[in-house]
Amino acid sequence: MIEGWRVITRAPNFPGGKRTENLEGIEVVRFNYFFEKWKALCYRSGMLPNLKRSPKIWMQVPFYVASMVYHSLRLLKK
């Protein structure tokens, strides 16, 4: 809790990452958006540099957005 608010954030999961954790009062809930061995959108230097580096990564963007929306709506439903 931060000053009376419950703060929950959604973030993409990463290899070895915890599904949920609490970071300084902020609840982090991670989601998967693509097949584990091919995920390359959100790691290392970040999305934009990754997309510039490899145009093939663009195919992961719709899956990322759909997964983010789906998991966020599930969270709101709770």
Side-chain angles (χ1 to χ4, degrees):
M1 287 266 211
I2 296 177
E3 297 183 31
W5 291 84
R6 180 177 178 204
V7 179
I8 304 172
T9 187
R10 285 294 202 182
N13 203 0
F14 58 91
K18 296 177 183 176
R19 188 77 170 160
T20 61
E21 66 181 311
N22 193 300
L23 300 173
E24 298 181 26
I26 298 173
E27 186 178 343
V28 179
V29 181
R30 293 192 176 84
F31 63 93
N32 289 312
Y33 64 91
F34 208 69
F35 300 107
E36 192 68 34
K37 68 179 188 176
W38 293 318
K39 281 196 268 185
L41 181 62
C42 301
Y43 313 109
R44 292 184 219 74
S45 56
M47 282 188 195
L48 291 178
N50 289 338
L51 290 168
K52 288 178 184 177
R53 182 175 46 81
S54 175
K56 290 188 284 185
I57 296 175
W58 277 96
M59 69 180 227
Q60 294 182 20
V61 172
F63 294 97
Y64 174 85
V65 172
S67 186
M68 171 74 95
V69 169
Y70 171 76
H71 287 95
S72 295
L73 290 174
R74 281 187 56 201
L75 181 63
L76 287 171
K77 207 171 189 182
K78 286 183 181 181

